[in-house]
Amino acid sequence: MPAVRVERLTKDFDGLKAVNEVSFEIEGGRIFGLLGPNGAGKSTTLAMLSTVLEPTAGAAWVNDFDIRTQPDSVRRSIGIVFQDQSLDEELTAWENMDMHGRLYHVPRDPRRRKIGEMLELVGLSERAGDLVKTYSGGMRRRLEIARGLLHEPRVLFLDEPTLGLDPQTRNHLWTYIADLNRNRGITIIITTHYMEEADRLCHEVAIIDHGKIVASDTPAALKRQIGGDVVVLETTDNARVLPLLQALPAVKAVEPRDGALSIKLDQADRHVAELVTSCSRDGVGVTSLSVHKPTLEDVFLHFTGRTIREEEASGKERMRMAVRMWRR
Amino acid sequence: MGVIYTIWLRNVKRYLRSKSRILGSLGMPLFFLVILGFGLNKVVTGPHMGRGYVAFIVPGIVSMTVLFTSMFAGIQIIWDKQFGFLKETLVAPVSRLEIMLGQTLGGATTALLQGFIILILSLFMGVRPGSAGGLALAIGFMILIGVAFTAMGIAIASRMDDMHGFQLIMNFVIFPIFGLSGALFPIGSLPAWLRSVTLLDPLTYGVEGIRYGLTGAAQLAPLASVAGLGAFAVLMVTLGARLFRRVQI
């Protein structure tokens, strides 16, 4: 039995299809990533799966409970960490945990034991008695994850778990998440627009764009699917060398992108010299060159026709970040 | 019950922890009590003020304190909406009614505690309740005011997305309720038409009830006060629960 089964799930906001007939299945014990830019429908999908939002059409089962008819059973069997913080800053970490345990009807003794255990797990035992408002962003996130696990859910939802965190904290958090999954067998669903995050953590990803899933597989398979390596070449005259490069037998495709040329080919390392020679033969200088194996970023580009980075610094997120800064 | 208690506990903990808020929300009532009480004590006399103007307005100022504190406690859920904690409670496997009731009782409790502080301070101004039974009755009315207006705050907050409308609520809801309530003047001395307006104000019944309890004399029969305020409290809790159920996060 899959931990999560989604069939043609749809959410309509006044005629705008935020989620459009999305279907997928998640095996128990896996980390599944919903990958896409802001506004692609990731959070809406999560909101429906956690029974916060009612779907317009379609069906879904979480731990075999129907999200439409058994919302309480679904809620009891899942843990959620929201994109925006949902802690009470004027309570201590321990009190936040205790409050959660009570809301989920965890009896007193196991509750106290689990709180200690979970805080230990995310490395916050020492600070358990401190008010949350004295916590850093990374600590808050860890606390939220610990809280989401308190009632022993079988599925954990993480909505953009590392948004707005610095790279080091992000790395730490990834380790925690991977360990959780490995050591406790918890099924984890992550939404993210950080390709690196999906690549590092997820056993399987679904790329979602404009409310539709455009591709879904393991990261490795997705990368294989778009085929070959990519050489990014910056020259003094991109337009002039583009047709020359395209004519080379080893080259499969050339696309201008962000002021550089993105060249697709197999076994890039062998053909680098060839690329450079053909540029300089025409008197065009190479200013920068990098070889990379396909990443999920390339996969995203392949399936949606644009890079996710273009979306990354969108207005909405900048505003969110500004609001966060201001709240501190 | 567990859930109601949990939400109640959170409210009380937050209240006890925020010394600045406790002091802050006592500022205005104290100002009224001291300035009006001492300032007008010699000037204002009337058939309804056997024990002086200070003794007359203490019930009014207690009501005011409970009104303001409970209303803020209800509206506070906007904060929870904005700062996210409301999500945590709304996705838990509990009913919205339990959350709403916990919030209402929590707000009422903090409002009651604030009211007690005013009662204690008024002791120092020479105003003390006539009897233990009377005090108990007054406390009963304070609880009713607290419940009714926390629920009203929740009802309002359920329809608001941020604090922008707060000033509006302050000026057009909270202040008129306070001003029209007979907290500061005997409603019996008003012209008939204005008197009927004050009878539309639910706080009037609270003020008169507390006044009856503390001083033994009031413009309204205590039973009428219980009926008026009780009906309003039931109405507000029902309305608050209904609107809170529709809150989207």
Side-chain angles (χ1 to χ4, degrees), chain B residues 12 30 57 87 117 119 150 153 155 158 166 178 234-235 244 247:
Chain B
V12 173
L30 269 184
I57 61 166
K87 269 190 185 174
I117 297 178
L119 270 184
T150 310
S158 298
F166 186 70
F178 167 62
V234 170
L235 184 73
F244 186 68
V247 169

Side-chain angles (χ1 to χ4, degrees), chain B residues 126-137:
Chain B
V127 181
R128 49 195 78 230
S131 66
L135 181 63
L137 186 69

Side-chain angles (χ1 to χ4, degrees), chain B residues 20-37 57-58 60-69 71-72 114 117-118 121 125 166-167 169-171 174-176 178-179 183-184:
Chain B
S20 63
R21 212 155 49 204
I22 298 177
L23 284 176
S25 57
L26 283 176
M28 186 146 45
L30 269 184
F31 179 81
F32 270 85
L33 191 61
V34 172
I35 300 299
L36 293 181
I57 61 166
V58 163
I61 302 303
V62 169
S63 306
M64 171 194 189
T65 310
V66 177
L67 166 74
F68 278 51
T69 316
M71 202 76 156
F72 290 150
Q114 292 286 95
I117 297 178
I118 296 291
L121 290 174
M125 296 178 70
F166 186 70
Q167 205 59 34
I169 307 292
M170 190 75 196
N171 289 328
I174 305 182
F175 264 115
F178 167 62
L184 302 177

Side-chain angles (χ1 to χ4, degrees), chain B residues 99-146:
Chain B
I99 299 172
M100 188 272 173
L101 289 178
Q103 190 73 26
T104 303
L105 294 179
T109 305
T110 59
L112 187 67
L113 292 174
Q114 292 286 95
F116 280 155
I117 297 178
I118 296 291
L119 270 184
I120 291 165
L121 290 174
S122 64
L123 285 180
F124 294 103
M125 296 178 70
V127 181
R128 49 195 78 230
S131 66
L135 181 63
L137 186 69
I139 291 171
F141 275 102
M142 287 161 72
I143 294 172
L144 270 184
I145 298 175

